[in-house]
């Protein structure tokens, strides 16, 4: 048998407009002469010879009825199905609710959701939804404008999006309640694809990714996270808490500024970014981005201009929808920059970030000369303290001109002097009032106007932008000078 040669559909019930009697269930023998019933079929009178008063049936009628019915029976017994037939649906005043019709591509079925359904499902008629079918895949080519799926495309359970995108665009699905799709985005081009209905909301499907989608009759939705067991194989999904990284952690990170300027390139083998401290995390390999403080948006300041003689925080930022990586700067002069960007000016689409640098700026709002390695920054020495005020116990002094609020430790040089010959002077710098983590305790005998200098490193900052010092000359006037050449953050 051939799928292209189905039998003729019955356009009308037999004798639809002819003279006919309603066939009763009960026997009509003895009630109406010659009348048929479901109990007896044709009554004995039809088997009576005409000469004896019988009424003969027409043999051609028997043949026509039985041929018509047996064609359909044979087709159905062979597994055949019927597709939409415009003439037939007109004859029956539309298909009933629950009717199942073969799709015109012979790859699935349409289910009627309404009685008296006169529309054609193969051309997108209303009142039909796809039902069952094969593992047919629909390939849909995209470029720069929205595409509305045909009914037969949308009836496929797997939809592959192809082509080179030249703009952000929508793929419009029918508003079929309860229908599900697996959508694979195999497009290229730095733009987004959103799967939606004509009037409802939708879901963006990332390039080189796939999404399981369904329709509620109004919108295209994506199921919430499904419960899964802990992964034991590389291709299994992990759960939160099973595998996490430290947001902001970097491997071989570096940034060098050899002459003051607005631009610099930050590079790292790896950077970990996240949407929140307990949110989704992403590992950015081979990270290399150029920041320009003279611009705004991705690759520049988040808003406004870079501060004058202040500090800027640098963030690695990531757009998971387009897999796009960039860098963003923000003013970090008056407040410590958080681990994840918290300003209100994140470029559109970027949802993950991590603090990767905090740099000083000069009077021209430029990066100062310096070098960053991982989370340590070195630069030309900045005098942070120059005092002749004696302090026998650790006393707080601000070093806000030299380090940002994010600084965790400092390095540099301490210089002590005494203006009286043959007099000693001692000095120290400390993390706190208790004298923790002393940098140095210097005690020298110096000649008039003489001085001694000693480098230090790794002094922890307990109070943001402040250290504690002591200065104790035995006679004369002592001087303490603190030059800072670097900090960690």
């Amino acid at each position: 048998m051939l799928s292209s040669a189905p039998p003729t559909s019955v356009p009308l019930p037999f004798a639809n407009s002819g003279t006919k009697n309603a066939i009763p269930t009960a026997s009509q023998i003895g009630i109406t002469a010659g009348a048929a019933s479901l109990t007896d079929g044709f009554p004995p009178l039809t088997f009576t010879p005409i000469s004896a008063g019988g009424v003969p049936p027409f043999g051609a009628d028997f043949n026509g009825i039985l041929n018509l019915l047996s064609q359909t029976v044979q087709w159905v017994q062979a597994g055949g199905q019927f597709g939409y037939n415009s003439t037939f649906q007109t004859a029956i005043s539309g298909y009933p609710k629950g009717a199942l019709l073969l799709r015109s591509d012979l790859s699935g079925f349409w289910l009627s959701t309404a009685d008296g359904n006169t529309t054609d499902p193969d051309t997108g008629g209303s009142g039909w939804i796809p039902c069952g079918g094969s593992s047919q895949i629909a390939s849909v080519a995209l470029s720069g404008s929205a595409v509305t799926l045909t009914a037969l495309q949308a009836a496929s359970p797997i939809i592959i999006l192809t082509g080179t995108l030249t703009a952000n665009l929508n793929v419009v699905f029918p508003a079929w309640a309860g229908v599900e799709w697996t959508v694979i985005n195999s497009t290229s081009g730095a733009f987004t694809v959103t799967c939606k209905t004509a009037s409802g909301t939708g879901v963006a499907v990332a390039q080189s990714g796939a999404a399981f989608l369904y329709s509620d009759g109004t919108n295209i939705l994506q199921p919430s996270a499904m419960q899964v067991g802990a992964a034991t194989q590389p291709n299994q999904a992990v759960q939160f808490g099973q595998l996490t990284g430290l947001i902001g952690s970097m491997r071989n990170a570096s940034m060098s500024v050899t002459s003051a300027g607005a631009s610099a390139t930050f590079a790292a083998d790896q950077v970990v970014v996240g949407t929140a401290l307990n949110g989704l995390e992403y590992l950015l390999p081979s990270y290399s981005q150029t920041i320009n403080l003279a611009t705004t948006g991705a690759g520049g300041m988040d808003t406004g201009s870079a501060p004058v003689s202040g500090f800027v925080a640098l963030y690695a930022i990531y757009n998971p929808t387009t897999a796009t990586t960039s860098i963003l700067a923000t003013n970090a002069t008056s407040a410590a920059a958080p681990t994840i960007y918290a300003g209100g000016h994140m470029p559109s689409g970027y949802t993950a970030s991590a603090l990767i640098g905090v740099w000083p700026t000069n009077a021209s709002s430029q990066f100062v000369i310096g070098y960053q390695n991982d989370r340590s920054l070195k630069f030309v020495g900045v005098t942070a303290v120059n005092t002749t005020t004696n302090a026998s116990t650790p006393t707080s002094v601000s070093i806000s001109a030299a380090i940002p609020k994010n600084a965790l430790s400092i390095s540099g040089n301490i210089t002590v002097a005494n203006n009286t010959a043959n007099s000693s002077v001692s000095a120290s710098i400390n993390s706190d009032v208790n004298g923790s983590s002393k940098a140095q305790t210097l005690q020298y005998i110096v000649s008039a106007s003489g001085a001694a200098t000693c480098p230090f490193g790794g002094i922890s900052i307990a109070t943001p932008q402040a250290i504690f010092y002591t200065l104790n000359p035995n006679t004369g006037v002592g001087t303490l000078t603190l030059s800072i050449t670097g900090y960690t953050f």
Side-chain angles (χ1 to χ4, degrees):
M1 301 183 70
L2 300 177
S3 61
S4 60
T8 303
S9 299
V10 179
L12 288 174
F14 183 73
N16 183 65
S17 299
T19 300
K20 55 186 176 295
N21 294 321
I23 306 300
T25 300
S27 172
Q28 299 300 298
I29 297 176
I31 300 175
T32 302
S37 67
L38 295 180
T39 299
D40 299 322
F42 287 102
L45 184 61
T46 60
F47 298 95
T48 301
I50 296 175
S51 60
V55 179
F58 292 97
D61 290 343
F62 275 97
N63 288 342
I65 294 170
L66 293 176
N67 181 265
L68 182 64
L69 296 178
S70 62
Q71 284 187 50
T72 301
V73 170
Q74 185 187 42
W75 177 257
V76 172
Q77 287 178 337
Q81 299 291 331
F82 292 92
Y84 174 80
N85 185 310
S86 176
T87 302
F88 179 66
Q89 69 84 10
T90 300
I92 64 171
S93 299
Y95 290 96
K97 184 176 182 180
L100 196 65
L101 298 184
L102 184 65
R103 283 166 35 185
S104 62
D105 60 5
L106 310 180
S107 298
F109 300 91
W110 298 110
L111 178 67
S112 177
T113 61
D115 278 324
N117 194 341
T118 62
T119 63
D120 183 353
D122 292 310
T123 58
S126 62
W128 298 93
I129 59 172
C131 179
S134 68
S135 59
Q136 183 187 14
I137 298 174
S139 182
V140 181
L142 306 176
S143 57
S145 59
V147 170
T148 299
L149 299 181
T150 67
L152 291 175
Q153 285 176 324
S156 301
I158 300 175
I159 297 175
I160 300 178
L161 308 177
T162 63
T164 300
L165 302 180
T166 59
N168 298 330
L169 55 82
N170 296 327
V171 176
V172 182
F173 284 65
W176 290 335
V179 179
E180 302 170 347
W181 301 273
T182 297
V183 178
I184 301 171
N185 187 348
S186 297
T187 63
S188 60
F191 297 95
T192 62
V193 176
T194 299
C195 299
K196 63 184 296 296
T197 59
S199 59
T201 59
V203 175
V205 179
Q207 283 181 333
S208 301
F212 177 69
L213 308 178
Y214 70 95
S215 172
D216 64 359
T218 302
N219 307 305
I220 299 297
L221 305 169
Q222 190 170 30
S224 58
M226 297 180 181
Q227 182 175 342
V228 296
T232 59
Q233 299 296 325
N235 61 346
Q236 294 178 338
V238 299
Q239 299 175 327
F240 284 123
Q242 183 182 3
L243 177 64
T244 59
L246 183 63
I247 295 176
S249 60
M250 303 177 286
R251 174 69 68 180
N252 294 330
S254 64
M255 176 169 148
S256 178
V257 177
T258 57
S259 61
S263 295
T265 298
F266 188 101
D269 291 347
Q270 295 178 327
V271 178
V272 177
V273 298
T275 58
L277 293 180
N278 63 340
L280 295 175
E281 297 178 3
Y282 304 90
L283 178 63
L284 310 183
S286 303
Y287 180 86
S288 181
Q289 296 292 323
T290 298
I291 183 72
N292 184 352
L293 301 182
T295 64
T296 57
M301 292 292 296
D302 60 343
T303 184
S305 302
V308 174
S309 300
F311 300 93
V312 290
L314 304 181
Y315 286 90
I317 58 176
Y318 180 67
N319 182 334
T321 301
T322 60
T324 304
T325 300
S326 191
I327 192 169
L328 189 69
T330 187
N331 192 333
T333 304
S334 60
T339 299
I340 293 175
Y341 178 77
H345 303 281
M346 179 73 92
S348 177
Y350 291 87
T351 58
S353 62
L355 180 67
I356 56 174
V358 185
W359 273 73
T361 58
N362 62 18
S364 298
S365 301
Q366 300 171 325
F367 290 116
V368 302
I369 296 173
Y371 179 77
Q372 179 180 338
N373 177 251
D374 289 337
R375 303 186 80 83
S376 176
L377 186 68
K378 300 294 185 182
F379 46 83
V380 178
V382 175
T383 299
V385 177
N386 186 19
T387 183
T388 57
T389 302
N390 294 343
S392 58
T393 60
T395 301
S396 177
V397 60
S398 172
I399 54 174
S400 60
I403 66 171
K405 290 183 178 293
N406 285 85
L408 302 177
S409 67
I410 58 173
S411 57
N413 298 289
I414 181 173
T415 300
V416 292
N418 194 310
N419 68 347
T420 302
N422 301 318
S423 295
S424 64
V425 59
S426 65
S428 69
I429 56 172
N430 313 273
S431 294
D432 54 37
V433 71
N434 298 313
S436 303
S437 301
K438 288 185 178 180
Q440 297 289 338
T441 298
L442 302 180
Q443 186 170 2
Y444 293 100
I445 297 175
V446 296
S447 60
S449 302
T453 299
C454 183
F456 68 88
I459 302 302
S460 298
I461 301 298
T463 301
Q465 296 182 306
I467 54 96
F468 293 77
Y469 81 97
T470 63
L471 180 62
N472 296 294
N474 66 339
T475 59
V477 177
T479 301
L480 169 67
T481 302
L482 181 65
S483 174
I484 296 178
T485 58
Y487 54 79
T488 63
F489 62 94

